[in-house]
Amino acid sequence: MDIKYMQRALELAKKGIGYTNPNPLVGAVIVKNGRIIGEGYHQIYGGNHAEINAFKDATEDVKGATMYVTLEPCSHYGKTPPCANAIVEKGIKKVIIGLIDPNPEVSGRGIKILKDNGIEVITGVLEEEGRKLNEIFLKYITTKQPFCIMKTAMTLDGKIATFTGDSKWITGKTSRNFVHQLRHRVAGIMVGVGTVLKDDPMLTTRLENGEGSDCIRIIVDSNARIPIEAKVLNINSKAKTIVAVTEKAENDKIEALKEKGAEIIITPSKNEKVDLAFLMKKLGERKIDSILLEGGSELNYSALEAGIVDKINAFIAPKIIGGMKAKTPVGGKGRAFINEAISINKIDIKRFEDDILIEGYVQKEMEL
């Protein structure tokens, strides 16, 4: 029964996708006498946590009940009071936890408060599912840097565009809808200035139901070549646009971009380009916990070389383009030997009508 109720808590947690960043996705279920009497989830950043919403939803007195919560109840004062204290005050008898809080500053303290007050605590129920759901939070809370997902779409022969540069559309509508769900999930979307110059994208979130939140638009542009009339600088959106440049960018252009409402981040030059590792630190300082990298082949290669990519979402469409000059998802100099290749592990394969999505994680020396 623990698994059944924790699964329900995980389902509730998913309802917060796109609205809680940089906070985690958390769901809570209160069970008494074999019945669910209250449910809640963390709905929006700065709002009540899942446990508090579950208490508010309760249809009867929760004293003596069991609470299932996907993440260890918080033990500190932030934008809201500690949930662990509220659980004690409400008289909950038992707490089943999916994942212990990974924040090194608070990990285990919520559990200690519960146990010190005589509450039985069980941890690790559907822990892997909880880790998967909160992979963004796990990376950000422990490193203060964004979780980066590199998304590519290519044909069976590994091309992202024809030799003329035409790329609309490699994948089908269902795959593209999923990408917009990814945009809704993350805090920022990153492209290179080459993509802006070629496609002039809006980089907004367009879900079928008309809902969804725009993420912050981040343009990697060493020399500030982005046109002032570019759509990303002239759209009606609550999300801002950040342009990352180097010291080579002209001051007049920087000031013009600022007048358009763009935020400018100046990074050191690395191989005459924006230092992506430095940029990720600066984005993390701005509470940007996740990035969807939709750059071209050059930016993709630079990101992999800089070690900032955590996850790969590679769509493959059943089409063949051919052409020696047709671009592939990852350009750059490339690796000289097979044994130097970047390895992807924890592979998952999904189907979107005729398209295939290969999802995996960049293998690094230190895994979270």
Side-chain angles (χ1 to χ4, degrees), residues 95-141:
V95 178
I96 313 293
I97 297 170
L99 180 66
I100 296 174
D101 192 329
N103 187 342
E105 295 182 1
V106 299
S107 181
R109 294 184 184 179
I111 291 174
K112 185 176 187 303
I113 290 173
L114 299 178
K115 288 183 175 180
D116 286 349
N117 284 274
I119 297 174
E120 182 183 355
V121 178
I122 295 176
T123 62
V125 177
L126 296 185
E127 179 178 351
E128 285 307 308
E129 288 84 346
R131 291 181 67 86
K132 174 79 171 180
L133 179 64
N134 272 307
E135 60 189 10
I136 288 175
F137 176 70
L138 289 171
K139 165 77 179 290
Y140 180 72
I141 200 65

Side-chain angles (χ1 to χ4, degrees), residues 65 191 203 305-306 331 334 355-356 362:
V191 301
L203 303 180
E305 283 293 283
D355 299 332
I356 293 173
V362 177

Side-chain angles (χ1 to χ4, degrees), residues 48-252:
N48 289 331
H49 288 187
E51 299 92 327
I52 305 304
N53 284 330
F55 287 139
K56 289 188 173 184
D57 181 65
T59 56
E60 61 183 86
D61 187 3
V62 301
K63 187 175 182 179
T66 297
M67 173 174 278
Y68 294 80
V69 61
T70 57
L71 184 70
E72 177 185 357
C74 64
S75 59
H76 62 289
Y77 284 88
K79 290 185 176 292
T80 58
C83 291
N85 292 359
I87 291 172
V88 172
E89 293 168 3
K90 291 288 186 178
I92 293 292
K93 182 180 179 181
K94 184 177 181 181
V95 178
I96 313 293
I97 297 170
L99 180 66
I100 296 174
D101 192 329
N103 187 342
E105 295 182 1
V106 299
S107 181
R109 294 184 184 179
I111 291 174
K112 185 176 187 303
I113 290 173
L114 299 178
K115 288 183 175 180
D116 286 349
N117 284 274
I119 297 174
E120 182 183 355
V121 178
I122 295 176
T123 62
V125 177
L126 296 185
E127 179 178 351
E128 285 307 308
E129 288 84 346
R131 291 181 67 86
K132 174 79 171 180
L133 179 64
N134 272 307
E135 60 189 10
I136 288 175
F137 176 70
L138 289 171
K139 165 77 179 290
Y140 180 72
I141 200 65
T142 54
T143 67
K144 300 303 180 185
Q145 294 192 37
F147 184 89
C148 182
I149 305 168
M150 189 180 87
K151 189 276 298 182
T152 64
M154 62 185 175
T155 59
L156 277 177
D157 55 338
K159 308 297 185 182
I160 62 173
T162 68
F163 70 90
T164 66
D166 183 39
S167 61
K168 290 185 171 56
W169 296 101
I170 296 290
T171 54
K173 184 178 180 181
T174 305
S175 297
R176 299 199 299 274
N177 287 339
F178 177 76
V179 172
H180 281 280
Q181 292 175 25
L182 284 177
R183 290 185 180 185
H184 173 64
R185 171 72 178 95
V186 299
I189 179 172
M190 181 185 292
V191 301
V193 68
T195 297
V196 176
L197 293 172
K198 175 180 174 293
D199 299 329
D200 195 19
M202 292 186 292
L203 303 180
T204 53
T205 299
R206 302 182 295 279
L207 297 179
E208 285 188 320
N209 59 12
E211 298 178 354
S213 55
D214 289 345
C215 46
I216 295 170
R217 296 167 291 277
I218 303 154
I219 314 301
V220 179
D221 185 7
S222 303
N223 297 302
R225 293 189 294 144
I226 184 172
I228 293 299
E229 63 272 14
K231 289 178 181 177
V232 291
L233 299 173
N234 295 278
I235 59 176
N236 182 20
S237 173
K238 293 181 180 179
K240 63 184 175 181
T241 296
I242 295 174
V243 182
V245 303
T246 67
E247 66 278 359
K248 294 183 294 182
E250 295 183 359
N251 289 332
D252 289 348

